[in-house]
Amino acid sequence: MIYSNDKILITGASGFIGTNLVDLFVEKGLNFINFDKSKPLKNTHTQYWYEGNLLNIESLKQAIETYKPTIIIHLAARTDTLSNNIEDYVDNTKGTENLINCIKGNKVIRHVVITSTQYVYKSLDRPFPQADNDYKPHTVYGESKVITEKLTRNADLDCLWTIVRPSNIWGPWHMRYPNELWKIIDKGYYVHASRKEVIRTYGYVKNVVYQIYMIINSSDDKVNQKTFYLGDLPIDSYIWLNAISLQLNNRNIVKLPSLLFVLPAWCGDVLMKLGIKSPFYTKRYRNMIENYYAPTNISVAEFGLSNPDLQANVRDTILWIKGEAKTFFQYWDKKY
């Protein structure tokens, strides 16, 4: 539960999810700081920023000793899947280890929320893990988050702890989609590589931060030592993608048989082996045609959705792109 005297320290609140979480906490009138090595994306959030780096344990200790948080929400992480080297995800591994070590023995901290990812488990044969510690990561990023979770589970913390696994999160302040997927859709270049349903789990970011808020505002027995997948209910990916296309340019996305994409994907693999960047390759092709859904129904039932309307969420995200976001992106700045 959140009490009037609670103080919340968020790590990594200058990023995508964190920016939206800060907006929600300001709206709720909560007392918090953002511990982050990077300046906030929004200038109005600078007042909440405490500059520090998780890899510098002394700066982290100082922040905790100075601010004396009762709740910690750990968002800070490298979240891309571009590297196959676990050392490149040291923010996720050593950074979390440093945070756990600072929490141990602290008598003020009452609850810590550790952010993991849906990517800690993916299986086409058995879609859902049988237990919270049943892992099957398919990326090195996912492997780094397995380490994050194991550090938390094995720490024997005195305080309450909750692990959250965001699904495929989208919405305002996502700084990759506008330059990648959304731009491709807007130009009319995106073609759906399947005529069958491809079930995915997406999470509108305002729903995800609301679920985090509800977790720290829930009774201890509901959230202590529990793991929750965050996001909306699973849907056919075409529904989500087509909603974006219709609101951007009033065009339906074309569906084609998946077999037509096998040869282009193979060609992309060859180009990448030759050191030439390719926008399309086998891993991306499989990602487009494989079901990958998560049991977010539990979180939706327990904590709800603040913004359940997909069409309204797409509209609000496009308004963000047309408004305060467009100066970040040359393509959208020129268009609008």
Side-chain angles (χ1 to χ4, degrees):
M1 295 292 293
I2 300 175
Y3 301 101
S4 59
N5 62 341
D6 272 325
K7 301 168 76 176
I8 305 169
L9 184 148
I10 313 167
T11 71
S14 294
F16 166 43
I17 295 177
T19 298
N20 287 275
L21 188 64
V22 167
D23 280 340
L24 178 62
F25 280 8
V26 170
E27 177 188 320
K28 298 292 185 182
L30 302 183
N31 187 347
F32 68 92
I33 61 169
N34 163 30
F35 181 88
D36 202 305
K37 61 185 178 182
S38 301
K39 184 178 179 180
L41 292 170
K42 297 179 71 169
N43 290 333
T44 55
H45 289 183
T46 305
Q47 60 185 303
Y48 309 109
W49 181 36
Y50 186 111
E51 186 175 3
N53 192 327
L54 284 174
L55 298 181
N56 182 345
I57 194 168
E58 293 305 318
S59 72
L60 181 57
K61 284 180 180 178
Q62 184 178 17
I64 292 174
E65 290 172 3
T66 301
Y67 186 63
K68 295 180 173 56
T70 53
I71 299 171
I72 292 180
I73 300 173
H74 179 38
L75 294 174
R78 175 174 173 175
T79 59
D80 64 72
T81 59
L82 300 176
S83 176
N84 292 319
N85 184 355
I86 191 68
E87 298 300 324
D88 290 336
Y89 294 92
V90 65
D91 286 339
N92 306 1
T93 54
K94 185 62 178 178
T96 300
E97 181 182 354
N98 286 345
L99 178 64
I100 294 294
N101 286 335
C102 288
I103 293 172
K104 283 183 178 179
N106 187 297
K107 303 302 181 183
V108 177
I109 298 169
R110 192 179 73 254
H111 190 183
V112 57
V113 177
I114 302 291
T115 306
S116 180
T117 176
Q118 178 185 3
Y119 281 25
V120 296
Y121 184 92
K122 183 181 181 182
S123 171
L124 298 179
D125 300 324
R126 196 179 65 193
F128 297 151
Q130 301 302 295
D132 288 343
N133 59 354
D134 185 9
Y135 299 116
K136 196 171 183 180
H138 66 291
T139 64
V140 174
Y141 164 58
E143 290 177 16
S144 74
K145 286 299 191 174
V146 170
I147 294 172
T148 292
E149 291 199 12
K150 287 182 176 180
L151 286 167
T152 305
R153 298 183 195 283
N154 298 334
D156 195 25
L157 295 174
D158 294 327
C159 64
L160 309 176
W161 58 264
T162 309
I163 291 173
V164 294
R165 295 174 177 172
S167 54
N168 189 353
I169 312 304
W170 64 281
W173 299 105
H174 194 301
M175 304 305 283
R176 290 202 305 271
Y177 274 160
N179 259 343
E180 298 172 359
L181 179 62
W182 292 62
K183 183 167 69 173
I184 293 170
I185 291 174
D186 187 61
K187 288 182 174 182
Y189 295 162
Y190 182 86
V191 179
H192 202 58
S194 177
R195 286 181 173 171
K196 299 179 180 179
E197 283 190 342
V198 179
I199 304 301
R200 292 298 178 85
T201 306
Y202 300 98
Y204 182 55
V205 67
K206 292 183 181 180
N207 286 329
V208 170
V209 298
Y210 177 76
Q211 289 169 345
I212 292 173
Y213 167 74
M214 291 299 293
I215 285 171
I216 63 173
N217 206 25
S218 294
S219 60
D220 296 355
D221 61 313
K222 182 184 282 190
V223 298
N224 186 31
Q225 299 186 22
K226 301 290 179 65
T227 300
F228 298 101
Y229 283 85
L230 303 185
D232 307 329
L233 295 175
I235 60 170
D236 179 5
S237 61
Y238 182 82
I239 295 175
W240 177 67
L241 292 162
N242 204 52
I244 296 166
S245 182
L246 286 172
Q247 292 204 37
L248 279 175
N249 53 39
N250 200 31
R251 289 196 296 254
N252 284 304
I253 291 174
V254 175
K255 290 183 177 181
L256 293 176
S258 57
L259 288 177
L260 294 178
F261 294 81
V262 174
L263 181 59
W266 179 83
C267 292
D269 293 343
V270 173
L271 289 173
M272 293 182 70
K273 287 181 179 179
L274 295 174
I276 303 171
K277 288 185 178 181
S278 173
F280 193 67
Y281 42 90
T282 297
K283 186 176 180 180
R284 177 162 288 182
Y285 163 63
R286 287 176 178 167
N287 185 54
M288 293 171 68
I289 65 171
E290 291 175 350
N291 293 330
Y292 187 20
Y293 45 93
T296 47
N297 59 302
I298 297 171
S299 297
V300 172
E302 291 284 349
F303 310 118
L305 299 173
S306 58
N307 296 67
D309 188 333
L310 173 63
Q311 300 299 330
N313 297 340
V314 172
R315 182 180 63 248
D316 289 347
T317 304
I318 292 173
L319 287 174
W320 166 73
I321 289 175
K322 291 180 177 180
E324 58 187 334
K326 67 178 183 178
T327 55
F328 289 95
F329 310 104
Q330 185 179 14
Y331 174 82
W332 300 104
D333 195 26
K334 285 183 176 181
K335 180 170 181 176
Y336 297 118

